[in-house]
Amino acid sequence: MAATPNLIAMVDEMNRVTYTSASLAALAHIENYEMTAGRPIIDLFPDINMKLVIGEIVEAEGFYESTEEFFLNGERRYFKIISDRFRGNIGGRFIDISDITPIMTARLDAEEANSAKSIFLARMSHEIRTPMNAIIGMSELILREQTSPAIHEHAAAVKQAGNNLMAIINDILDFSKIESGKMEIIPVEYEFASLINDVIRIRQVLLNLLSNAAKYTNQGSIIFTVESARNETGSITLKFEITDTGIGIRREDMDKLFGDFSQVDTHAHHGVEGTGLGLAIARSLCRSAGGDITVKSVYGEGSTFTAVIPQGITKEGPFASVADSETKNVLIYERRDIYANSLVRSINNLGVRCRLALTGEELVKALGEDRFDFIFAASCLFDEVQDQIRKERIDTTLGACGTLVNFCMNMQKIHKRNRTRSVRGS
Ligand code: ADP
């Protein structure tokens, strides 16, 4: 009653006011709206046409409804009027439905100002990037050419600060591009194998989610999986899932995460830098491509961010295959079990048998029991395996786990040429 702009009144059987809204009291020039009680309702309305309508309402047996035009303080205003009688008392309201043009104009002005702000931000960020590149590039040159440890240290600090600032500027640039509607998503063909490297928008989303996972996880693991599901139309939806064992997110903070410049639980960040724009940008990018990002988290235990993006298919076929896969046998020697298991799954997906050794004893046992075409070992365990195969005179091809994907794709070639006996790569 105190706040509504509508003119509301309750009257008794004698048509005397029992209660009005503050806006009606103001119309009758009564300062305190609680002081209207006891007055004849007709007295409160200054306008003769309004008084006529009140007369009609009072005469009416029950429900009354109409739309009227009045001139109040020289202004044309429209009201929808509804009232009803209950045990002799009348409750009625005049709802102002006047022209909303001024409100709409004000809103459009505000939107225009917001868009001008975004364009300004975009231009500024762009202008700042050029000299920033020079600063970073020049400090890089100093780092290469200078031998003095003190100058080296200072130049490294300049470069680091420059890179941090660049990351912030890039975020603002992207954000303002999205806000001002200048971010375009263009459909192009790409090879699935290079998805994460070459498809800039997808890479940006994943880099953001992965670097957040790394930033907010002090201990444990980060698991990144890619899956796809076929849609009814023949296209596919890619599902990227990033699960960390980090600080987690409070339930009440979940809705805020994707807001602009929004950081939550900052005291738990321990000096981690950020603008709070990353997730807002990542979600906008996904949504403009017809997808979305969602999150699940247990505070103190970790979070799972899931990005889904629909993609069309132009040509179909496996992007990695192994000739005579069923005849091949692979051994993985890797001590981190989550990583090791994901490698085993990758090899199995190619239709190749795979045995896992998590310890030195398991390695020796496996080599004694089985014959392996390929052995993949963690870089730090590489020498151990090499010594073992030399000692036992085992004929196999040894590679580092990090090169496994390339191996899978090139297995056939390597096998045919039969030349690389030991490859160590990154
Ligand atoms: P920032 O630049 O601060 O990382 P983001 O928009 O990427 O900005 O993330 C917003 C906030 O969401 C972060 O400040 C952090 O509080 C929270 N957050 C994002 N990812 C995670 C995560 N994996 N674990 C815990 N908190 C996260």
Side-chain angles (χ1 to χ4, degrees):
M1 281 299 199
T4 176
N6 297 329
L7 308 174
I8 301 178
M10 315 280 241
V11 300
D12 63 14
E13 288 146 324
M14 308 292 292
N15 298 324
R16 287 178 188 278
V17 171
T18 51
Y19 209 75
T20 64
S21 62
S23 52
L24 178 53
L27 194 68
H29 302 292
I30 297 169
E31 246 176 57
N32 184 347
Y33 73 106
E34 287 171 9
M35 302 293 284
T36 52
R39 294 177 184 241
I41 177 72
I42 204 125
D43 288 0
L44 294 187
F45 290 87
D47 180 77
I48 181 70
N49 292 315
M50 280 184 153
K51 284 186 197 291
L52 287 174
V53 172
I54 296 298
E56 277 177 34
I57 292 175
V58 170
E59 296 286 294
E61 286 290 301
F63 187 71
Y64 176 96
E65 185 176 5
S66 70
T67 305
E68 307 285 343
E69 174 193 293
F70 301 111
F71 275 93
L72 294 177
N73 305 323
E75 224 182 279
R76 186 200 301 269
R77 285 167 65 183
Y78 295 90
F79 286 88
K80 182 162 186 75
I81 302 162
I82 303 167
S83 84
D84 209 351
R85 193 181 281 274
F86 180 70
R87 289 200 188 140
N89 299 331
I90 302 173
R93 51 192 188 276
F94 283 49
I95 302 165
D96 195 336
I97 52 165
S98 310
D99 188 1
I100 56 164
T101 308
I103 299 169
M104 288 307 289
T105 315
R107 187 167 141 184
L108 288 177
D109 284 350
E111 279 172 4
E112 217 166 88
N114 192 37
S115 146
K117 176 207 74 185
S118 301
I119 292 170
F120 172 76
L121 272 179
R123 291 216 175 115
M124 281 307 294
S125 321
H126 191 74
E127 292 301 319
I128 295 171
R129 273 213 301 196
T130 314
M132 273 319 294
N133 272 324
I135 293 171
I136 295 170
M138 289 300 154
S139 44
E140 175 72 49
L141 283 185
I142 297 172
L143 282 176
R144 270 191 227 157
E145 289 163 11
Q146 259 298 331
T147 45
S148 144
I151 295 179
H152 212 267
E153 196 179 311
H154 296 159
V158 171
K159 193 178 164 211
Q160 182 59 40
N163 281 332
N164 288 348
L165 187 53
M166 221 30 186
I168 294 173
I169 291 167
N170 284 338
D171 269 2
I172 294 179
L173 191 63
D174 278 341
F175 173 71
S176 40
K177 263 194 208 154
I178 291 172
E179 271 239 302
S180 58
K182 292 218 168 72
M183 183 71 86
E184 266 187 282
I185 304 276
I186 307 162
V188 287
E189 282 186 22
Y190 62 86
E191 289 286 332
F192 186 76
S194 71
L195 169 83
I196 292 167
N197 268 333
D198 294 345
V199 185
I200 294 173
R201 297 293 165 231
I202 291 179
R203 187 179 64 189
Q204 192 171 354
V205 169
L206 298 179
L207 263 183
N208 182 269
L209 298 180
L210 285 166
S211 60
N212 273 354
K215 265 179 3 188
Y216 302 113
T217 303
N218 296 324
Q219 227 180 44
S221 62
I222 295 160
I223 301 179
F224 173 49
T225 59
V226 190
E227 279 173 35
S228 78
R230 197 167 280 272
N231 302 325
E232 277 164 18
T233 53
S235 61
I236 55 165
T237 295
L238 294 177
K239 181 169 132 194
F240 304 93
E241 212 165 65
I242 290 133
T243 299
D244 66 52
T245 58
I247 60 174
I249 301 153
R250 286 200 184 92
R251 189 185 287 261
E252 63 266 29
D253 287 335
M254 290 289 212
D255 293 340
K256 300 182 210 147
L257 291 183
F258 295 93
D260 310 337
F261 298 100
S262 161
Q263 295 186 301
V264 299
D265 199 19
T266 38
H267 74 275
H269 287 186
H270 302 301
V272 168
E273 304 248 354
T275 54
L277 277 176
L279 285 177
I281 294 171
R283 179 179 259 183
S284 293
L285 287 174
C286 277
R287 288 194 171 167
S288 55
D292 206 354
I293 297 183
T294 51
V295 57
K296 282 194 201 132
S297 185
V298 177
Y299 190 57
E301 288 184 17
S303 319
T304 297
F305 283 80
T306 306
V308 290
I309 303 175
Q311 298 284 280
I313 301 172
T314 50
K315 215 171 82 199
E316 235 177 303
F319 75 83
S321 66
V322 180
D324 308 324
S325 55
E326 63 285 355
T327 65
K328 304 277 188 325
N329 197 11
V330 167
L331 175 67
I332 302 270
Y333 182 35
E334 162 65 68
R335 291 197 170 142
R336 292 160 295 186
D337 58 339
I338 295 176
Y339 181 46
N341 281 312
S342 89
L343 295 175
V344 172
R345 254 198 322 274
S346 303
I347 306 249
N348 285 338
N349 278 343
L350 288 162
V352 175
R353 268 181 304 150
C354 184
R355 181 166 172 171
L356 174 62
L358 285 164
T359 60
E361 294 85 71
E362 282 178 19
L363 171 77
V364 175
K365 188 158 180 275
L367 291 176
E369 288 174 359
D370 242 334
R371 213 212 125 254
F372 299 99
D373 302 280
F374 296 93
I375 300 173
F376 295 104
S379 296
C380 57
L381 306 173
F382 198 91
D383 292 339
E384 187 186 332
V385 186
Q386 203 156 39
D387 289 350
Q388 189 68 20
I389 22 188
R390 278 208 192 114
K391 203 171 87 193
E392 307 278 335
R393 297 171 184 271
I394 294 170
D395 177 29
T396 185
T397 302
L398 174 64
C401 284
T403 60
L404 188 111
V405 175
N406 287 340
F407 260 99
C408 290
M409 299 176 90
N410 295 318
M411 235 181 219
Q412 197 181 348
K413 285 183 232 156
I414 290 167
H415 205 68
K416 263 193 203 143
R417 283 194 245 127
N418 200 16
R419 114 180 160 210
T420 321
R421 304 313 296 174
S422 171
V423 179
R424 183 174 207 168
S426 66

